[in-house]
Amino acid sequence: MHEAIDIEKLGGVKEGERKKPRSKEARHEIACQPADERIHNYNEVALGYNPEIAVSEAMRCLECPKPRCVVACPVHIDIPSFIGKVSRGKFEEAAEDIRQYNNLPAICGRVCPQENLCEAACIINDTNEGNPIAIGRLERFSADWQLLHGNHSGSEVHKRPATGCKVAVIGTGPSGLSCAADLAKMGHSVDMYEALHKPGGVLMYGIPEFRLPKEIVQKEISFVKSLGVNIELNCVVGRTIPVEEIMETYDAVYVATGAGFPNMMKIPGENLNGIYSANEFLTRVNLMRAWQHPAAGTPVRKPKKAVVVGAGFTAFDVVRIALRLGAEEAQIVYRRSREEMPGRGEEIEHAEEEGAKLTLLTNPVQYIGDERGFVKAVEVQKMELGEPDSSGRRRPVPIEGSNYIIDADLVVVAIGQTPNVLIPSNLPGLETRWGSIIKVNRETYMTSVPKVFAGGDAITGAATVILATRAGREAARSIDAYVRIPTEAGPNPTDPADRGFLMEVVERFKAYLEEPFAESLMKDFESALKHLEEVDASPSMQDLVTDMAGLRENPSFPRKAGLFLSAYLKIAARPESIDLESFEDTRLEGLGACMDKADLTVKGDAGNYTGAFMLSGTLTVEGDVGDYTGFSMEGGTLHVKGLSESHTGHSMSGGRIVVDRNAHDFTGNRMTGGYIRIRANAGYSTGYRMVGGFIEVRDLAWDLAGEEMIGGRIQIGGHVGHDLGYSMVGGELAVNEKNSETPRVRAKGGQLTVVARGKKRR
Amino acid sequence: MYEITGKKSLATGVVEMKVYAPRVARHHKPGQFLMVMNDEDGERIPLTIADSNAESGEVTIVFLEVGRTTIELATKFNVGDSLFAVVGPLGTPTHIENFGTVVVVGGGLGVAPIYPICKGLKEAGNKVVSIVGYRRKDLMFWEDRIESASSEMIVTTDDGSFGMKGFVTTALEKLHDEGRKIDRIIAIGPPVMMRAVSQLTEPWKISTWVSLNTIMVDGTGMCGGCRVEVGDETRFVCVDGPDFDAHKVNWDEMFKRMKVYTEEERRALHADEPCRLEFQALKK
């Protein structure tokens, strides 16, 4: 047992005391192993906070009632709540808080790019620039504290009763683990399949020990296992078990096979000995522990002069390993400039401290080998930056006659990975992009094959751990809705009372799926597409139209309807006020669904589909609401006094939704009319594919606001994240940015106005 | 865990092992391989599946005591012990259809993997002429099995101590010179032998296939350590192969790539004794 936490000694908030935040102080730096020491070992570089510093850092947090950090977090961790607990010395409770939203906190606390996410959105940046709360470090601290001292067992986690549904998760990387853990908590039986001999995927083979200790990874995985998740190792789905067998055995399948296929440059000499793909080099060193060769069985080439091609996360990991393997010289060769480097700030800094060199605006053209077939040098060419390309970064252009030679006895190509084709090639009917990236419905994570879902790098190409975690989590919700309905007691069609309601809802669905909504929407999309063809042919817009047409066949849609319908039947008397204390499940779904000419007040929190299909009247929720609030509503007023999770106002055509606190992702998704007002902040993809209506966000709307927007209007009053108006083709998007920095704009059409500190552009 | 259910020495340095791996046994097709890890600290090495029994759940591997992992496998692992990891069946199965007459060449250790291929080809209605080559008579194994799976079998030994004197290419050339109709040739064995077969048959314009056994780490298409140039294109042996058109393989490159870790391997074998003892001590 650890010593009792003396909060007074640690300088935190005592029981019953009020917190006096010290937001004006600078944030606490993290202790690191000195560079000259750490390049001789594989131990973790960043040492983490001790309780005293953690509490002191937590004391800086304002614990805002309308937190921006939460909407910017891809999994929407209740950050002020957990930091509040740290400042009160309740470290394990803080970790439990995080765990409600993220199943891998000790991992994400280490490898998540917080400086672009929660920490970038922190309100302290407005007054004390460059000193946001060190959210990531506090997350790591809380999770580590729990792993070391806490009651870390999944058997104590609150789980829903067993549903009897069986789900297969293929791949045990961050996305698979996150999905499996959530599904297990939801009461489903989960089997995971892993091709390698250890679970963890990229967390084991990709990220080096000095950045993410493997012991931590295995501890987090044991937690997932303790929830009842079964992991089968050494099992390649599509080989060891045929895909058909999986399809027959399970009610749903989540494909989280990552992006494990290495991209190479296809230049002369690339197959010389001593030239590795980043995947091979990292797998040898991290998973197979080749740095311990010959004690460990797997060898790796020990370099004198190492060249790493690329400048992403992976490239920096590789260059730092090369130094630890004893390289006298290790350099990154990158074709663009420092500004465009996709690697993370802290990692770049650490690599440079350790002696890694950056050779920028330079690209390899061929490799030169010795008589034994080993690489001895790289011929490179200098580059300059031209016009921006489709990623918004300036395209590098070769400078003729600028070639020169760099000596190298180890070259690692780290220019990205694409997904493995094993699953797509073994699953007939599975649609992909470029043959390997699995196509999914971006909101449900459903693939083109019934009951198969996919997420993580398998649907995006190589991205970050946190985005994969998010996909796993969202897919779990979607899979839950998909598998659960048939087994739950829903409305009974043979009961005349239920039958009337059922018929009513069936009629509404018909209206939703056919006339006039879908048709008018299709028209809008078609005209948008026509407009788009004049500007730029984008595959994503083509997909969009196919996607809309596919909505009619989306099997999860009517299933979800059953959910709120059954809740509606429970409260069919339509009382004026519902006291949720009297219901067993306080997050009842579908409250106020199909409401017409009535007023209803919900005292407390409500679940998903609150006010769905509402026609008129006023619905007030005094607490928080779940996903799909005001789904398909046509009229009336819906007032949420707490926060609203994702998909607020999805496909609404009329009426008003007012949310007093934050709304998470996809606010106003596919809406065609009506008005949504968010009195605080909104998460990702506000107004995604909206066609009409008006969304007003008072303060911050995070990344991808106006994504693929077609019509209507969005007004953002405070801040925005990255990729504003990504692929938007129509409508109006107006931003009143309070920062002097103008956001990266990615619109293809429509009207986009950004006023940054009074200066108007575009 | 994957229990060893059978082990015997077939010839000097050649070991046959049966391992309980029911899923691998159930789904194995001719030409596929598996990856083996002796213990948690071990290397992952690819071994071709020489036979499988779906009912008993056993797979048979035949290997040569040549590197650190195989020596350890031969000397320290016995019936009743378990291997840390066995994963498979991997790779694209050998293309099998009724070609007519197929000559299947197995040299040395390559005799083992041609057994399921001969069986498969014969079942598909082919006339299977097998050529199995060994260095000496006392190194012969499985010739009875191959005979049972072939329509006709020729045995060669380098020194003439059994069957035809010479290499497998000697026998193959003789068949061709006799004017025998050959529709396809499959050759598995040491790289030098496969290259010799390839060079011999190229002027004949007879489709010739070889099974490459390159260095691998994961065996599932993730690392690209096994990459080899085939017909001016880089291919991954583990997923695109292991079978390739012999006439398109860049043999020089492949030979060089096979030797990438010779130095490390030598060091590992030397360092082995004290280090192994330390490991054993640690484990106790």
Side-chain angles (χ1 to χ4, degrees):
Chain A
M1 247 345 254
H2 59 96
E3 274 177 56
I5 302 161
D6 183 347
I7 195 62
E8 200 168 348
K9 208 169 127 197
L10 293 173
V13 187
K14 278 184 289 183
E15 194 80 50
E17 227 178 51
R18 271 191 61 191
K19 183 176 181 178
K20 288 180 203 120
R22 303 194 298 256
S23 61
K24 283 182 186 145
E25 290 176 7
R27 69 198 228 137
H28 293 80
E29 285 315 317
I30 201 160
C32 285
Q33 268 198 75
D36 51 348
E37 225 170 79
R38 68 186 189 236
I39 61 160
H40 301 297
N41 67 53
Y42 284 78
N43 301 336
E44 197 168 15
V45 168
L47 299 174
Y49 282 160
N50 62 28
E52 203 174 340
I53 297 180
V55 169
S56 178
E57 180 65 24
M59 284 304 290
R60 298 178 57 240
C61 178
L62 300 171
E63 295 176 37
C64 325
K66 296 173 182 177
R68 294 175 183 170
C69 51
V70 178
V71 295
C73 170
V75 294
H76 306 301
I77 294 172
D78 191 347
I79 294 165
S81 162
F82 101 76
I83 294 184
K85 285 177 180 140
V86 174
S87 64
R88 286 162 184 85
K90 295 174 181 169
F91 303 148
E92 178 156 21
E93 283 172 42
E96 281 306 321
D97 248 25
I98 303 170
R99 234 168 245 292
Q100 278 183 35
Y101 303 90
N102 184 347
N103 292 301
L104 310 166
I107 295 167
C108 290
R110 286 174 165 82
V111 300
C112 195
Q114 294 98 4
E115 67 277 15
N116 299 328
L117 301 166
C118 51
E119 293 178 10
C122 177
I123 200 160
I124 295 177
N125 287 314
D126 288 7
T127 49
N128 184 358
E129 216 181 320
N131 283 297
I133 302 296
I135 300 167
R137 292 165 191 176
L138 289 171
E139 178 183 22
R140 169 182 167 177
F141 167 79
S142 311
D144 282 3
W145 202 92
Q146 189 188 35
L147 290 177
L148 217 64
H149 307 293
N151 280 323
H152 187 61
S153 166
S155 53
E156 286 165 30
V157 168
H158 174 72
K159 278 169 48 176
R160 249 178 24 196
T163 58
C165 298
K166 288 170 78 181
V167 184
V169 174
I170 307 175
T172 62
S175 197
L177 286 169
S178 148
C179 185
D182 277 357
L183 287 168
K185 288 182 198 164
M186 290 164 176
H188 307 302
S189 145
V190 188
D191 290 332
M192 301 188 79
Y193 292 95
E194 169 57 52
L196 292 168
H197 55 277
K198 285 227 168 94
V202 72
L203 305 171
M204 289 304 289
Y205 76 76
I207 304 175
E209 178 77 20
F210 55 79
R211 208 150 71 77
L212 179 66
K214 301 306 151 218
E215 200 191 333
I216 297 279
V217 177
Q218 292 306 319
K219 273 188 178 163
E220 291 279 46
I221 293 173
S222 355
F223 181 79
V224 174
K225 279 161 96 174
S226 69
L227 291 165
V229 171
N230 170 44
I231 302 182
E232 293 258 355
L233 300 173
N234 303 311
C235 192
V236 183
V237 174
R239 289 273 185 255
T240 314
I241 295 189
V243 176
E244 307 87 71
E245 201 176 308
I246 298 274
M247 295 293 283
E248 279 164 27
T249 318
Y250 295 95
D251 299 308
V253 181
Y254 182 58
V255 182
T257 42
F261 183 86
N263 293 343
M264 298 297 274
M265 289 177 70
K266 298 190 167 75
I267 57 174
E270 210 167 25
N271 291 347
L272 286 167
N273 289 339
I275 301 182
Y276 291 86
S277 73
N279 267 357
E280 180 182 1
F281 186 78
L282 291 171
T283 305
R284 283 180 181 271
V285 175
N286 301 335
L287 180 73
M288 308 306 295
R289 305 198 321 280
W291 50 280
Q292 291 177 327
H293 182 83
T298 306
V300 72
R301 191 164 166 78
K302 302 228 159 89
K304 283 197 175 63
K305 291 183 173 179
V307 164
V308 183
V309 185
F313 291 86
T314 309
F316 283 96
D317 285 344
V318 169
V319 82
R320 295 173 70 190
I321 291 172
L323 287 161
R324 281 162 177 77
L325 287 173
E328 289 154 14
E329 227 179 272
Q331 60 185 310
I332 294 262
V333 171
Y334 180 49
R335 63 198 182 121
R336 301 181 200 250
S337 72
R338 187 180 271 267
E339 232 167 82
E340 289 87 14
M341 291 199 308
R344 194 182 158 195
E346 192 179 277
E347 305 315 327
I348 300 171
E349 246 170 64
H350 282 161
E352 288 194 290
E353 280 167 19
E354 287 166 14
K357 281 204 312 189
L358 295 180
T359 305
L360 302 169
L361 289 164
T362 306
N363 204 30
V365 289
Q366 70 160 324
Y367 300 104
I368 300 151
D370 64 13
E371 64 292 343
R372 287 158 53 237
F374 282 79
V375 66
K376 62 174 187 185
V378 189
E379 183 182 331
V380 296
Q381 185 173 33
K382 286 194 175 171
M383 313 289 276
E384 59 191 351
L385 292 179
E387 291 301 303
D389 63 10
S390 61
S391 74
R393 297 179 299 180
R394 292 177 65 193
R395 194 190 303 269
V397 185
I399 304 173
E400 288 303 317
S402 65
N403 293 23
Y404 68 99
I405 303 283
I406 302 175
D407 288 343
D409 57 354
L410 172 85
V411 174
V412 180
V413 183
I415 55 165
Q417 291 88 240
T418 45
N420 197 313
V421 295
L422 198 57
I423 300 280
S425 62
N426 277 287
L427 195 53
L430 188 72
E431 286 177 22
T432 56
R433 285 178 227 276
W434 307 298
S436 65
I437 296 182
I438 302 172
K439 271 194 190 175
V440 294
N441 177 317
R442 194 152 134 35
E443 295 146 56
T444 61
Y445 292 86
M446 278 189 133
T447 67
S448 56
V449 176
K451 83 179 182 185
V452 177
F453 298 74
D457 283 1
I459 63 163
T460 54
T464 60
V465 169
I466 188 66
L467 290 178
T469 308
R470 168 190 179 174
R473 200 176 154 72
E474 289 179 348
R477 285 201 233 181
S478 179
I479 292 170
D480 177 56
Y482 179 79
V483 297
R484 190 154 57 106
I485 307 307
T487 61
E488 264 191 17
N492 177 6
T494 55
D495 183 331
D498 282 10
R499 205 191 171 111
F501 284 117
L502 268 176
M503 290 311 291
E504 193 185 319
V505 171
V506 166
E507 282 308 308
R508 279 201 200 293
F509 274 125
K510 273 193 188 156
Y512 174 77
L513 293 173
E514 286 156 19
E515 291 282 327
F517 177 84
E519 209 175 74
S520 75
L521 202 57
M522 285 301 287
K523 260 186 203 156
D524 281 322
F525 280 125
E526 269 153 16
S527 71
L529 188 74
K530 217 176 214 172
H531 168 68
L532 193 79
E533 272 164 359
E534 291 158 16
V535 189
D536 176 16
S538 154
S540 75
M541 286 304 288
Q542 284 282 3
D543 298 339
L544 193 146
V545 171
T546 332
D547 201 44
M548 269 314 295
L551 188 67
R552 294 163 204 244
E553 281 95 47
N554 185 343
S556 83
F557 187 73
R559 278 163 185 269
K560 278 180 178 166
L563 262 182
F564 69 74
L565 185 67
S566 58
Y568 176 53
L569 289 170
K570 284 186 198 162
I571 51 162
R574 300 187 193 181
E576 277 175 9
S577 170
I578 296 180
D579 189 354
L580 286 168
E581 294 291 304
S582 56
F583 286 91
E584 273 172 34
D585 184 357
T586 52
R587 295 281 278 184
L588 210 60
E589 298 196 314
L591 286 171
C594 309
M595 209 172 89
D596 196 2
K597 294 178 199 126
D599 290 330
L600 178 67
T601 302
V602 178
K603 294 176 176 166
D605 297 340
N608 300 337
Y609 295 99
T610 303
F613 291 97
M614 188 173 159
L615 295 168
S616 68
T618 306
L619 173 61
T620 309
V621 181
E622 294 189 340
D624 300 339
V625 290
D627 295 333
Y628 295 97
T629 297
F631 175 81
S632 231
M633 75 185 271
E634 291 170 31
T637 301
L638 205 172
H639 184 184
V640 178
K641 295 190 171 171
L643 71 84
S644 175
E645 287 178 22
S646 296
H647 300 271
T648 307
H650 181 115
S651 65
M652 72 187 279
S653 56
R656 283 161 58 87
I657 301 177
V658 179
V659 179
D660 287 352
R661 292 179 64 192
N662 290 343
H664 290 168
D665 309 340
F666 293 109
T667 300
N669 181 357
R670 295 176 196 269
M671 73 188 278
T672 56
Y675 171 61
I676 302 177
R677 182 178 160 85
I678 309 298
R679 288 190 162 141
N681 311 294
Y684 290 76
S685 303
T686 300
Y688 176 70
R689 293 187 187 179
M690 76 183 277
V691 177
F694 179 30
I695 304 174
E696 196 183 346
V697 180
R698 185 156 162 200
D699 186 13
L700 168 146
W702 200 239
D703 293 356
L704 298 160
E707 181 183 3
E708 293 181 20
M709 177 175 178
I710 290 151
R713 182 177 158 78
I714 304 176
Q715 166 88 46
I716 299 162
H719 300 276
V720 287
H722 281 293
D723 298 328
L724 187 65
Y726 185 85
S727 284
M728 76 181 266
V729 291
E732 276 176 68
L733 176 55
V735 180
N736 194 2
E737 172 65 59
K738 285 182 192 157
N739 276 346
S740 50
E741 219 177 293
T742 47
R744 200 199 304 165
V745 172
R746 303 283 294 275
K748 288 176 175 163
Q751 205 185 331
L752 201 148
T753 329
V754 180
V755 180
R757 272 207 180 149
K759 279 183 200 156
K760 194 169 174 173
R761 76 184 269 264
R762 194 158 167 182
Chain B
M1 288 304 250
Y2 306 86
E3 199 187 322
I4 297 167
T5 55
K7 180 185 173 186
K8 65 177 169 193
S9 172
L10 295 178
T12 316
V14 181
V15 181
E16 174 190 324
M17 206 176 244
K18 281 199 168 94
V19 182
Y20 183 71
R23 280 178 176 153
V24 184
R26 189 150 28 125
H27 302 297
H28 160 240
K29 292 193 183 74
Q32 288 184 305
F33 64 95
L34 45 75
M35 301 294 298
V36 167
M37 255 179 113
N38 294 352
D39 53 43
E40 215 178 335
D41 312 299
E43 198 177 1
R44 290 170 69 98
I45 58 157
L47 292 171
T48 311
I49 304 170
D51 200 3
S52 59
N53 185 334
E55 271 157 42
S56 71
E58 291 167 293
V59 290
T60 304
I61 47 176
V62 176
F63 58 89
L64 197 61
E65 291 176 58
V66 66
R68 177 175 164 175
T69 306
T70 43
I71 292 172
E72 195 179 78
L73 199 54
T75 54
K76 302 218 166 124
F77 287 82
N78 293 304
V79 173
D81 293 341
S82 285
L83 297 174
F84 175 70
V86 170
V87 58
L90 299 170
T92 308
T94 299
H95 179 69
I96 287 181
E97 60 168 72
N98 192 348
F99 297 106
T101 302
V102 185
V103 176
V104 186
V105 183
L109 193 70
V111 172
I114 67 164
Y115 171 64
I117 296 173
C118 289
K119 222 164 52 168
L121 285 167
K122 205 175 165 194
E123 276 163 23
N126 290 283
K127 178 169 191 221
V128 178
V129 181
S130 54
I131 302 174
V132 290
Y134 308 90
R135 276 191 289 144
R136 297 186 308 267
K137 187 185 172 195
D138 61 312
L139 294 174
M140 283 170 60
F141 68 92
W142 277 29
E143 68 281 1
D144 49 339
R145 283 188 164 214
I146 302 292
E147 192 165 21
S148 71
S150 317
S151 323
E152 187 184 334
M153 180 179 74
I154 304 162
V155 180
T156 68
T157 50
D158 296 6
D159 63 356
S161 48
F162 191 93
M164 186 189 289
K165 183 174 190 287
F167 303 124
V168 288
T169 40
T170 322
L172 184 59
E173 198 166 9
K174 192 163 167 273
L175 278 183
H176 184 257
D177 289 350
E178 283 166 5
R180 294 278 288 268
K181 174 181 159 289
I182 304 172
D183 297 297
R184 195 180 181 87
I185 297 164
I186 296 171
I188 305 178
V192 205
M193 181 214 95
M194 293 194 283
R195 180 172 62 178
V197 170
S198 174
Q199 284 168 346
L200 179 68
T201 66
E202 202 167 354
W204 303 349
K205 303 262 184 292
I206 298 174
S207 177
T208 302
W209 290 74
V210 288
S211 173
L212 303 181
N213 190 359
T214 48
I215 292 167
M216 294 181 190
V217 183
D218 62 292
T220 62
M222 203 178 91
C223 77
C226 62
R227 64 193 190 274
V228 60
E229 198 180 270
V230 181
D232 297 327
E233 222 185 303
T234 292
R235 308 296 297 272
F236 287 9
V237 173
C238 66
V239 284
D240 300 325
D243 293 1
F244 291 102
D245 184 336
H247 301 147
K248 291 185 178 161
V249 173
N250 180 341
W251 292 99
D252 287 346
E253 183 187 280
M254 200 196 108
F255 274 81
K256 283 175 179 165
R257 285 190 66 80
M258 293 292 283
K259 289 181 183 149
V260 58
Y261 295 112
T262 36
E263 219 171 279
E264 281 83 359
E265 180 75 20
R266 196 168 41 85
R267 241 189 304 148
L269 281 171
H270 276 290
D272 242 14
E273 285 321 305
C275 145
R276 201 51 55 84
L277 291 173
E278 269 169 44
F279 254 72
Q280 294 304 323
L282 274 175
K283 273 183 186 156
K284 278 167 194 166

